Amino acid sequence: MRKFFVFTVLMMLSALVMAQDVKKVALLEPLNGDKTAGVKLIELNMVRGELRKAISNQMGYQAFTRTDIDQLMKEHNFQNSGMVADAQRAKIGEMSGANYICVSTLTKSNTEFYLEAYLIDVETGEISNPATQYGILKDGTYANLYQICQDLAQELIGYVGSSGGNSYTSGNSYGSQGAATLTFTVGGVNFEMIKVEAGTFTMGCTSEQGGDCDSDESPYHRVTISQDYYIGKFEVTHELYEAVMGTNPSNWKAFDRPVETVSWNDAMEFCAELSRMTGRRFTLPTEAEWEYAARGGKKSTNAKYSGSSSVANVAWYDGNSGSQTHPVGRLRANELGIYDMSGNVWEWCLDWYGNYSSASQTDPMGPGSGSHRVLRGGSWYYGAKNCRVSRRNSSTPGARDSSGGFRVVLH
């Protein structure tokens, strides 16, 4: 089996005697993502120790450290560049007995911290999508560090475990609740789904929205999502849309940008074809599912936007977009590790658009009929007010616009 060399913010060592087919993970000196944030060496060591345990929990993996490789990486400025030349990759692979490098970063800011990692194939130089997890600092301590590291390890192993053809792999399951993430491959393109655990939240114009609410965001009301579901980690990209549908309607044809100029009807056709290709039931999120995920589900910190109360941290909007979409996943994820639920492109929801009720509801589906479908999240073209988690928009099912896209859910 292949062995893995992981350069990350965390390092670990297995206490088990591993069989021949065990994959080896070498965890090296971490990166501090923000030199001004005051990340201390003791914090990096603590975090790397937790990931050591987390990767050890992944079946079939062994972790180890290599001080000499740390030095080699420094000599070749790997930490600064995030990539090395072919000869350097070959040397690193030879010294470590590994085929993959994982570049990871710890960033701390006020009451938040972020762990990010991506894999580099030593032989080919191919870079995977980044895996990012979001955490909370309480009284200076990394309060949910254990779970953050578990989730990050699952994302890393999920990327490596993906295979060609139309398939999916899952991270470790938590009892009967199912996997924390699912990674699918269709037409050679990988995409990841994030688990959203069932729960109850207040939907609509809540206090953190301040005076920005529109009338259709009221009355706020309690909503229960009774079953777990999965939602796209990213908006559907050009690359994924073309792999499924064989066409690309977008204005900005770059594989890692969100697909746009798609109608609600187009999005539903995509879901039907994706379901056929994978054998799983994909669809658009209901408006309630969308807002619950955007707010961070059970991990919500009650932010105004999806993952932050500062719009520029999480959203491409008219103040920073340069009048165009941007590659997905470049800004901060929300509490669940989901990207771009504020800004970049508006996202179609399953529901017909209609008025709210003050009554508590369970798994609401919106009105039974109507003329407009719901859109959520704001876009590159619109202001910060439109990127709020409670903001509602609507359009006819056949309408297409360069600021409208979507993401999918799986039940």
Side-chain angles (χ1 to χ4, degrees), residues 113 115 133-135 144-153:
F113 71 94
L115 301 183
Q133 293 293 330
Y134 164 98
N144 55 344
L145 179 60
Y146 171 80
Q147 188 60 57
I148 291 297
C149 291
Q150 295 292 326
D151 292 345
L152 189 70

Side-chain angles (χ1 to χ4, degrees), residues 43-55:
E43 293 175 284
L44 296 175
N45 287 337
M46 174 187 66
V47 172
R48 93 165 50 160
E50 287 299 323
L51 189 60
R52 170 185 172 182
K53 300 174 188 174
I55 296 180

Side-chain angles (χ1 to χ4, degrees), residues 160-354:
V160 173
S162 298
S163 58
N166 301 332
S167 62
Y168 75 94
T169 58
S170 66
N172 278 0
S173 61
Y174 298 122
S176 61
Q177 297 180 11
T181 62
L182 297 176
T183 302
F184 290 81
T185 303
V186 291
V189 177
N190 293 344
F191 68 98
E192 188 170 358
M193 307 291 291
I194 301 292
K195 183 178 180 180
V196 183
E197 294 183 355
T200 300
F201 74 109
T202 302
M203 186 173 179
C205 183
T206 44
S207 60
E208 79 286 341
Q209 302 301 306
D212 286 338
C213 292
D214 293 327
S215 59
D216 65 351
E217 297 170 41
S218 295
Y220 63 79
H221 51 288
R222 296 292 281 173
V223 170
T224 296
I225 304 296
S226 65
Q227 294 184 343
D228 300 345
Y229 61 99
Y230 291 86
I231 193 165
K233 182 176 182 178
F234 306 112
E235 294 157 329
V236 172
T237 62
H238 296 195
E239 182 182 38
L240 179 58
Y241 191 90
E242 190 164 348
V244 173
M245 302 301 292
T247 61
N248 187 342
S250 297
N251 292 280
W252 298 285
K253 291 181 171 62
F255 77 95
D256 56 355
R257 294 191 186 198
V259 69
E260 27 72 26
T261 321
V262 288
S263 68
W264 184 90
N265 294 330
D266 295 331
M268 291 299 288
E269 288 180 13
F270 174 93
C271 291
E273 182 61 17
L274 182 62
S275 298
R276 186 193 67 79
M277 295 173 73
T278 60
R280 305 294 295 272
R281 187 172 69 86
F282 288 91
T283 188
L284 295 176
T286 66
E287 187 176 14
E289 288 172 339
W290 189 97
E291 185 169 325
Y292 182 54
R295 288 177 175 271
K298 295 177 95 172
K299 298 181 180 180
S300 177
T301 56
N302 299 315
K304 188 171 187 176
Y305 309 98
S306 184
S308 177
S309 290
S310 174
V311 66
N313 287 339
V314 294
W316 297 111
Y317 69 113
D318 69 357
N320 64 1
S321 70
S323 299
Q324 60 183 311
T325 61
H326 286 259
V328 298
R330 294 296 176 87
L331 297 177
R332 184 180 298 177
N334 79 353
E335 299 91 326
L336 294 173
I338 307 168
Y339 290 85
D340 299 305
M341 294 199 80
S342 288
N344 221 359
V345 292
W346 287 100
E347 299 178 15
W348 287 108
C349 292
L350 193 62
D351 309 38
W352 290 109
Y353 174 80

Side-chain angles (χ1 to χ4, degrees), residues 112-123:
E112 304 167 338
F113 71 94
Y114 307 89
L115 301 183
E116 181 175 44
Y118 59 87
L119 298 175
I120 300 174
D121 188 308
V122 172
E123 182 177 350

